[in-house]
Amino acid sequence: MSLEEENKKKRKEIPLTTEEWLTFFFFPFQSKGGFMNPHDFNKMENERFEKYGFDKKIEQATQVRILGIFFYVVTILFIISIING
């Protein structure tokens, strides 16, 4: 197996780093924003994952985004229930 093939195989199995995980969790929504918008960062990261074949990172990013959306929905519902008491 050549070095390039070995590196491709390794890239498929590399998980998200803590920083990547937190970014996808707290900024799960994609929008057309301004300069240095975290949503643009997430979009660029997804494109990079696809370009270089980080299959596990793509799968985990999708899961973390769903968890992030769920987190915001639960937080909003919690705040509304406290306000309405």
Side-chain angles (χ1 to χ4, degrees):
M1 183 180 287
S2 72
L3 183 61
E4 185 177 333
E5 290 172 348
E6 197 172 307
N7 286 338
K8 282 183 180 181
K9 185 176 178 181
K10 286 180 184 178
R11 279 195 295 251
K12 288 183 180 212
E13 299 174 10
I14 296 175
L16 286 175
T17 64
T18 303
E19 293 84 12
E20 291 168 339
W21 197 94
L22 290 172
T23 302
F24 283 112
F25 182 79
F26 287 111
F27 303 106
F29 310 105
Q30 290 188 0
S31 68
K32 297 178 183 174
F35 179 69
M36 291 301 291
N37 185 341
H39 306 296
D40 290 340
F41 175 77
N42 286 347
K43 185 178 178 183
M44 289 186 321
E45 284 294 292
N46 273 343
E47 290 171 358
R48 184 177 70 86
F49 295 161
E50 289 175 11
K51 180 178 178 182
Y52 293 108
F54 290 103
D55 294 340
K56 188 167 185 174
K57 285 188 178 201
I58 293 170
E59 180 183 324
Q60 287 181 333
T62 303
Q63 293 171 352
V64 171
R65 274 203 176 107
I66 292 168
L67 289 174
I69 292 169
F70 181 73
F71 169 77
Y72 281 113
V73 168
V74 169
T75 302
I76 290 169
L77 292 174
F78 181 71
I79 291 172
I80 290 172
S81 70
I82 289 176
I83 290 173
N84 290 334

